[in-house]
Amino acid sequence: MPTALDSLVLFIAIIIPGITFRRFYFQGEFTKQFNSRSLTHGLIASILPGILLQVATVFIYKNQSYLNSYNLITTYNSFKGNSIPTNLFDENVLLDITSYLFILLSFSVLVANLSYRLVRISKADRWSTVMRFSNSWNYYFKGEVKDFPEYKSIVKGKILEVRADILLRVANEEPRLYAGIVSQHTLQKETLELKNIYLTKVFLYKRKNENEKRIPIRIPGDVMILNANDIININLRYVTIPKKSYKGLPGLTLVLFFLGLIFVVMTDVEIFNGSTLFKTILIKIYAVIYLLFISTLLETFISKKSSEANKRSIIQGLSFFIFVMTILFLLFRRNLLF
């Protein structure tokens, strides 16, 4: 087939950023979702994010004056003609390809992390089943089900701790009832079914005689691990405290940081361009760090969670760092620093 090599290169170019996106999107308690399905499912699920990331990266690359897209186009055209480019290992060609791959993979990691944080901060995975992660146990054991539309009227306030009453199957004995605070849980790698539950401050409800009521007996130890295969049922109780009103603008700093990030990465403003590719990359990384400091300062300023004394010290410290970073940035732009 004349387009075999072209199709293979195009497939790899779409799959790699897609897989990278999915790997960094499923993080924290949801890491195992990345490997929970078959290889075929993983490849298919990587196609859509891979296409979107490729389109965005091509747009970024073509709009940067310090990057040369000519070598990439000629290289792809050679593959399209079912032949390996003769200048593939030329220094300039390799530099352009490496730069493009670096931008593509970095952008994939960045978008994945921001997408995950945006979904979790906005609680989109709780009120929308489409955005919900497969680890449903995490929502129950962390008390996040209170944000589900079905449980809105059950739990109010901020979750302080989650207590569980667990009835455990025991061979040739009466089932045992354990009660404690849920600290952690693990899942089966393939099926994402519950594997173990970790309890602290555990009590065993036991009868002294067959006809008497169960009484709680404190079990010595710090952590008790229960095998989910032996669990008959689980009863969860959410201990809450009144939620303090927060008059800040939730998600504002994240949105501003994301918009600033897009502006820094995707625009070709002269202030973000250096005399060499290396300097330009350094300037843009520096600008992203600068944005992070500005966002943190803004979040601290509008937050009602910190005391005035702590807020004042944080603002003073951040303001000093921002001032120093501004001076260093100006010196760097004037080539007074390497």
Side-chain angles (χ1 to χ4, degrees), residues 24 105-115 257-258 261 265 288:
F24 285 90
L105 296 180
S106 300
F107 190 60
S108 302
V109 172
L110 185 62
V111 172
N113 275 284
L114 288 174
S115 299
F257 175 75
F258 187 68
L261 189 64
V265 174
V288 171

Side-chain angles (χ1 to χ4, degrees), residues 41-239:
H41 177 273
L43 293 177
I44 294 174
S46 301
I47 291 176
L48 180 58
I51 292 174
L52 295 177
L53 288 165
Q54 275 289 358
V55 170
T57 305
V58 168
F59 178 80
I60 295 171
Y61 200 91
K62 288 181 66 176
N63 284 276
Q64 303 301 318
S65 59
Y66 58 89
L67 296 173
N68 182 12
S69 60
Y70 175 77
N71 287 329
L72 292 176
I73 295 172
T74 54
T75 301
Y76 176 73
N77 286 334
S78 296
F79 283 120
K80 191 174 181 180
N82 203 26
S83 62
I84 298 177
T86 55
N87 62 340
L88 181 61
F89 296 102
D90 183 76
E91 183 178 349
N92 292 328
V93 175
L94 283 177
L95 179 61
D96 289 336
I97 293 175
T98 304
S99 302
Y100 181 81
L101 291 176
F102 175 78
I103 294 173
L104 175 63
L105 296 180
S106 300
F107 190 60
S108 302
V109 172
L110 185 62
V111 172
N113 275 284
L114 288 174
S115 299
Y116 171 80
R117 295 181 188 281
L118 188 61
V119 167
R120 295 293 286 162
I121 291 174
S122 66
K123 301 181 181 180
D125 58 325
R126 304 179 205 179
W127 49 260
S128 171
T129 55
V130 176
M131 303 297 295
R132 197 165 296 168
F133 294 93
S134 296
N135 183 5
S136 58
W137 290 107
N138 181 75
Y139 296 107
Y140 287 95
F141 291 149
K142 295 293 179 65
E144 294 180 359
V145 292
K146 70 184 180 67
D147 297 313
F148 285 18
E150 309 93 298
Y151 299 108
K152 280 283 186 181
S153 60
I154 295 179
V155 181
K156 295 186 182 295
K158 181 180 179 181
I159 300 293
L160 186 62
E161 62 186 24
V162 179
R163 295 177 180 173
D165 303 317
I166 301 177
L167 192 62
L168 209 66
R169 186 185 299 105
V170 181
N172 303 321
E173 290 185 25
E174 180 186 30
R176 295 178 185 175
L177 179 62
Y178 293 94
I181 300 173
V182 179
S183 300
Q184 189 186 354
H185 70 281
T186 56
L187 304 176
Q188 301 285 354
K189 184 177 180 181
E190 299 295 332
T191 62
L192 295 183
E193 293 180 355
L194 188 62
K195 182 179 180 181
N196 295 308
I197 300 180
Y198 298 74
L199 299 180
T200 57
K201 299 181 181 178
V202 184
F203 287 85
L204 169 64
Y205 284 79
K206 196 172 184 179
R207 307 178 198 271
K208 287 188 176 180
N209 296 309
E210 186 176 345
N211 297 324
E212 290 186 359
K213 186 179 179 181
R214 294 175 186 258
I215 58 173
I217 300 173
R218 180 75 157 85
I219 298 179
D222 296 316
V223 180
M224 186 172 189
I225 305 172
L226 302 180
N227 190 330
N229 292 329
D230 300 324
I231 294 176
I232 299 174
N233 57 46
I234 304 172
N235 176 57
L236 297 176
R237 289 171 290 134
Y238 301 115
V239 180

Side-chain angles (χ1 to χ4, degrees), residues 7-23 34 39-54 104-105 108:
S7 300
L8 179 62
V9 171
L10 191 61
F11 178 76
I12 294 174
I14 291 174
I15 289 299
I16 289 179
I19 291 176
T20 304
F21 174 86
R22 294 183 68 250
R23 180 63 188 87
F34 175 73
L39 177 62
T40 304
H41 177 273
L43 293 177
I44 294 174
S46 301
I47 291 176
L48 180 58
I51 292 174
L52 295 177
L53 288 165
Q54 275 289 358
L104 175 63
L105 296 180
S108 302

Side-chain angles (χ1 to χ4, degrees), residues 5 36 71 93 189 208 226 231 247 249 280 309 325 329:
L5 192 56
S36 62
N71 287 329
V93 175
K189 184 177 180 181
K208 287 188 176 180
L226 302 180
I231 294 176
K247 297 181 179 179
L249 300 176
T280 301
M325 290 179 70
F329 180 75

